[in-house]
C-alpha cells in the first residue's frame, strides 16, 4: 500500500466520500431542528430556563461525538433525566442541580470502568417494557399543568399540532413533523395575535455560548449527601437509556458499539455539561432514530453538527424561538409520549399469551416508577420482582425420584434440576431416613449445584443418615458442582 493510500484510509468516511458528507451534514441539521422543542420542553419539566436544556443538548451532543462508543447516536437533554432531577431543583435550587449533574457524570465514569454495561443482560424484557411505558406516562403527566387554567385557544392549538404531526409525515419525512407543527402554530399565534403562553414566558433563550464555571453551592458534606441520591439515580437512568438506545442502533446498522466506552463517554459528557451550566442528559431514542433511520447518518460528524447547529439556531434565531406557543410544545410531548409507549405490550392478544409473571413485573415496574417519579427505583423494584418470580419458578423444577435395588441393600435417589437456595431448602425433606436401606446413593448427574445453601442441604442429608448408621454416596457431579461441593462440604455448620 502506498503512503497516499494509507493516509486516505485513515480519513473518516465523511472526508473520503462527498455523499457521506452531505448525509451527515443534513442529518445533523435535521436533528438540531428537532432538538429545539424537546430541549425546551425538558427544561420546563426540570423547572429550569430553556437555555439550560439547550446548553445541555449542545454540550452533550458535541462531547459525546468525540468520546462516545456508538457512532451516529444522539445524546442531549432528555425527559428521563429531567424527571429525576426536577425535585432537587424544586427543593434546593439550580446550583444543586448542576452539582448533581457533575456528580452523576463521575458516577457514570466509575460505573463504566467497572463494567456496568455487562449488567444490562440481567434486566428482563418485562422491566424494559415497564421502563419505557412509565417514562411515557410521566412525561405526559408533566404536560398536564400546561393545560390547566390557560386561555381556551390553547386547546385547539394542541389538537391542531397533534393533527399536523400525524398527517405531515404522509406528505414527506424530510423535515421533522414536530418542527413543522411548531412553525405553523407559531405563525398562526403571532400572525393572529392570539394571547397564549409562549416559550418566552418561561425564560430568556441564550444569546451567546455557555461559559464554564463551578456550581453555586457550598462544598460541604451536607451538600454531597443532598445531591448524591439524585446524582446516582440520574447516572443509572442515563446509562440504562443510553445503552438501550445503543443496542437499538447496533441492530439497525448491523454494527457493534463499545458499550463500556459509551458508558464512560456519557459520564464525561455530563461532567462537561455540568461545568457549563447544563441540566445533563443521555441518549435520545427519538432524535437518534431521526439521525440513523430517516437521515441515514452513520458517523460522529452528524452527532457533532447536531449540537453545533443547535447553538447557531438559538443564538441567531432566539427571538423567533421565544414566540413559540407552549401549546405547540405540549403537542410535541404528547406525541413523544404516544410514540414512546409500547402499545403492543398491553394489547389483549399480547396479554392473553404473556405469562402472568411477565405481566406482573411490567405492571409493578410502571406502578413503582409513577408512584415514586423515579425511573431507577422502578427498574430496581421490577428487576427484584422478576428475580423472585424466576427463583420461585425454577425452584419447582428440582425433583427427586427414588429407585430401590432388587436385593434391598441400597437405594438410588436421582435429583434433577437447578439446586440453589430456593430449591435446595426443600431437598432435605424428600428422603426417607428411617425406612431406607443402609446404603444411599444420591445421583446428581442431572442437577447442578449453584450455591452454599445446596451444599449445606447435602451435608444435612448425610448427617441425618449417619445418625442412623447409614452411608451416603454422592455421584454424578459435574466439574463446577464438584469443585464447589469439595470446597464447602463440612465447613458450613458451626456445630
Amino acid at each position: 500500500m502506498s503512503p497516499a493510500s494509507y493516509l486516505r484510509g485513515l480519513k473518516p468516511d465523511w472526508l473520503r466520500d462527498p455523499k457521506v458528507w452531505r448525509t451527515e451534514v443534513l442529518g445533523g441539521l435535521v436533528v438540531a431542528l428537532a432538538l429545539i422543542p424537546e430541549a425546551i420542553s425538558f427544561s420546563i419539566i426540570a423547572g429550569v430556563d430553556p437555555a439550560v436544556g439547550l446548553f445541555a443538548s449542545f454540550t452533550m451532543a458535541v462531547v459525546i461525538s468525540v468520546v462516545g462508543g456508538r457512532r451516529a447516536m444522539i445524546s442531549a437533554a432528555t425527559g428521563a433525566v429531567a424527571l429525576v432531577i426536577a425535585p432537587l431543583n424544586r427543593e434546593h435550587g439550580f446550583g444543586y442541580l448542576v452539582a448533581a449533574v457533575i456528580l452523576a457524570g463521575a458516577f457514570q465514569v466509575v460505573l463504566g470502568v467497572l463494567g456496568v454495561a455487562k449488567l444490562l443482560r440481567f434486566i428482563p424484557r418485562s422491566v424494559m417494557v415497564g421502563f419505557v411505558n412509565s417514562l411515557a406516562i410521566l412525561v405526559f403527566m408533566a404536560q398536564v399543568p400546561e393545560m390547566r387554567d390557560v386561555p381556551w385557544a390553547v386547546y385547539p392549538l394542541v389538537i391542531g399540532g397533534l393533527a399536523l404531526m400525524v398527517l405531515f409525515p404522509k406528505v414527506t419525512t424530510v423535515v421533522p413533523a414536530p418542527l413543522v407543527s411548531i412553525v405553523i402554530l407559531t405563525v398562526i399565534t403571532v400572525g393572529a395575535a392570539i394571547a397564549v403562553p409562549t416559550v418566552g414566558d418561561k425564560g430568556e433563550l441564550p444569546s451567546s455560548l455557555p461559559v464554564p464555571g463551578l456550581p453555586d453551592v457550598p462544598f460541604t458534606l451536607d451538600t454531597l449527601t443532598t445531591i448524591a441520591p439524585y446524582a446516582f439515580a440520574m447516572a443509572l437512568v442515563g446509562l440504562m437509556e443510553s445503552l438501550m438506545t445503543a443496542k437499538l442502533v447496533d441492530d439497525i446498522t448491523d454494527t457493534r458499539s463499545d458499550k463500556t466506552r459509551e458508558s464512560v463517554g456519557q459520564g464525561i459528557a455530563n461532567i462537561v455539561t455540568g461545568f457549563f451550566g447544563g441540566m445533563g442528559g443521555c441518549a435520545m431514542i427519538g432524535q437518534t432514530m431521526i439521525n440513523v433511520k430517516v437521515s441515514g447518518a452513520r458517523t460522529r460528524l452528524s452527532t457533532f453538527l447536531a449540537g453545533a447547529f443547535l447553538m447557531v439556531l438559538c443564538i441567531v434565531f432566539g427571538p423567533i424561538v421565544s414566540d413559540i406557543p407552549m401549546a405547540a410544545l405540549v403537542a410535541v410531548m404528547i406525541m413523544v409520549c404516544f410514540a414512546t409507549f409500547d402499545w403492543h405490550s398491553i394489547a389483549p392478544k399480547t396479554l392473553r399469551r404473556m405469562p402472568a409473571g411477565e405481566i406482573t413485573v411490567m405492571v409493578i415496574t410502571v406502578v413503582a416508577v409513577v408512584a415514586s417519579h423515579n425511573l431507577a427505583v422502578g427498574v430496581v423494584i421490577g428487576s427484584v420482582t422478576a428475580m423472585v418470580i424466576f427463583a420461585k419458578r425454577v425452584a419447582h423444577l428440582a425433583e427427586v425420584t427414588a429407585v430401590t435395588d432388587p436385593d434391598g441393600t441400597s437405594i438410588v435417589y436421582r435429583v434433577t434440576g437447578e439446586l440453589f437456595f430456593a430449591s435446595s431448602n426443600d431437598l432435605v425433606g424428600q428422603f426417607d431416613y428411617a425406612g431406607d436401606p443402609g446404603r444411599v446413593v444420591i445421583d446428581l448427574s442431572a442437577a447442578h449445584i449453584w450455591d452454599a445453601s445446596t451444599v449445606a442441604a447435602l451435608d444435612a442429608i448425610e448427617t441425618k443418615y449417619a445418625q442412623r448408621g447409614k452411608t451416603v454416596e454422592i455421584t454424578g457431579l459435574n466439574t463446577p458442582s464438584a469443585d464447589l461441593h469439595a470446597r464447602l462440604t463440612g465447613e458450613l455448620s458451626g456445630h
Side-chain angles (χ1 to χ4, degrees):
M1 179 184 295
S2 67
S5 299
Y6 177 75
L7 290 175
R8 282 196 299 270
L10 292 179
K11 291 182 180 180
D13 292 340
W14 53 269
L15 281 178
R16 296 200 304 267
D17 189 344
K19 292 182 179 179
V20 174
W21 165 266
R22 289 195 298 271
T23 299
E24 299 300 311
V25 172
L26 291 176
L29 178 59
V30 172
V31 170
L33 293 171
L35 275 174
I36 293 176
E38 292 204 6
I40 296 172
S41 298
F42 295 142
S43 299
I44 295 166
I45 292 174
V48 298
D49 287 340
V52 175
L54 293 166
F55 283 158
S57 295
F58 163 62
T59 53
M60 286 293 298
V62 169
V63 175
I64 205 67
S65 69
V66 178
V67 300
R70 173 64 259 177
R71 292 180 297 172
M73 189 167 77
I74 304 299
S75 290
T78 60
V81 169
L83 289 166
V84 171
I85 61 176
L88 178 63
N89 180 63
R90 184 170 56 250
E91 297 170 13
H92 298 280
F94 180 67
Y96 283 82
L97 180 150
V98 172
V101 170
I102 296 172
L103 182 59
F107 281 144
Q108 288 177 328
V109 171
V110 173
L111 291 170
V113 172
L114 293 177
V116 69
K118 298 178 181 178
L119 297 179
L120 270 188
R121 63 177 181 265
F122 295 108
I123 299 180
R125 180 187 177 278
S126 53
V127 174
M128 294 284 195
V129 174
F131 170 86
V132 171
N133 289 348
S134 57
L135 172 60
I137 293 171
L138 286 182
V139 173
F140 177 80
M141 291 171 61
Q143 307 312 305
V144 174
E146 300 297 333
M147 294 184 285
R148 289 176 179 167
D149 302 321
V150 293
W152 68 268
V154 167
Y155 303 108
L157 286 173
V158 171
I159 295 172
L162 291 171
L164 282 169
M165 284 183 283
V166 171
L167 298 175
F168 188 78
K170 300 181 184 299
V171 178
T172 178
T173 57
V174 174
V175 182
L179 179 67
V180 174
S181 175
I182 290 169
V183 169
I184 291 177
L185 293 186
T186 302
V187 170
I188 291 174
T189 54
V190 173
I194 301 175
V196 292
T198 65
V199 169
D201 297 332
K202 299 293 182 179
E204 294 184 3
L205 295 180
S207 57
S208 61
L209 292 173
V211 294
L214 294 175
D216 184 18
V217 295
F219 293 91
T220 63
L221 181 61
D222 183 61
T223 298
L224 180 63
T225 56
T226 299
I227 67 174
Y230 295 94
F232 192 66
M234 174 184 163
L236 292 178
V237 168
L239 284 180
M240 282 187 288
E241 191 156 331
S242 298
L243 293 175
M244 285 190 292
T245 305
K247 177 64 169 62
L248 181 61
V249 178
D250 289 352
D251 295 338
I252 292 173
T253 61
D254 196 25
T255 58
R256 296 185 64 182
S257 59
D258 188 337
K259 302 301 191 301
T260 297
R261 177 177 174 178
E262 182 61 35
S263 300
V264 174
Q266 288 289 328
I268 295 173
N270 273 304
I271 291 173
V272 173
T273 297
F275 281 119
F276 276 91
M279 58 179 277
C282 61
M284 300 188 74
I285 296 177
Q287 272 60 34
T288 297
M289 291 302 100
I290 291 174
N291 197 43
V292 175
K293 294 191 71 174
V294 177
S295 302
R298 292 292 184 272
T299 76
R300 298 177 185 274
L301 179 63
S302 57
T303 305
F304 174 85
L305 290 178
F309 285 147
L310 175 64
M311 275 294 96
V312 172
L313 291 169
C314 289
I315 294 172
V316 177
F317 301 103
I320 297 175
V321 175
S322 296
D323 288 333
I324 295 174
M326 285 303 303
L329 300 182
V330 170
V332 169
M333 297 314 300
I334 291 175
M335 185 59 67
V336 169
C337 295
F338 184 85
T340 301
F341 196 92
D342 187 350
W343 298 101
H344 177 72
S345 66
I346 61 171
K349 183 178 180 180
T350 303
L351 295 176
R352 284 195 298 268
R353 295 183 176 182
M354 192 70 65
E358 300 285 320
I359 298 174
T360 300
V361 170
M362 181 183 69
V363 171
I364 288 177
T365 301
V366 171
V367 170
V369 170
V370 173
S372 66
H373 283 246
N374 190 318
L375 291 160
V377 168
V379 170
V380 171
I381 293 176
S383 297
V384 171
T385 303
M387 292 176 186
V388 171
I389 292 174
F390 174 76
K392 183 178 180 181
R393 185 183 304 158
V394 174
H396 293 298
L397 299 180
E399 297 180 355
V400 178
T401 56
V403 178
T404 305
D405 280 357
D407 59 7
T409 60
S410 65
I411 185 172
V412 177
Y413 283 94
R414 181 174 176 81
V415 182
T416 60
E418 306 301 318
L419 299 179
F420 63 111
F421 62 90
S423 57
S424 60
N425 285 338
D426 296 329
L427 193 63
V428 178
Q430 299 191 51
F431 294 82
D432 184 4
Y433 302 101
D436 285 341
R439 181 174 178 270
V440 177
V441 177
I442 302 177
D443 180 11
L444 297 178
S445 58
H448 186 96
I449 297 177
W450 287 104
D451 60 5
S453 296
T454 303
V455 177
L458 293 173
D459 285 352
I461 293 170
E462 291 187 79
T463 300
K464 289 180 179 295
Y465 276 117
Q467 290 172 348
R468 293 167 174 79
K470 302 174 182 180
T471 60
V472 175
E473 179 183 358
I474 297 176
T475 64
L477 289 171
N478 57 37
T479 301
S481 299
D483 291 342
L484 182 63
H485 184 265
R487 187 167 68 251
L488 296 180
T489 185
E491 303 292 334
L492 301 174
S493 175
H495 301 291

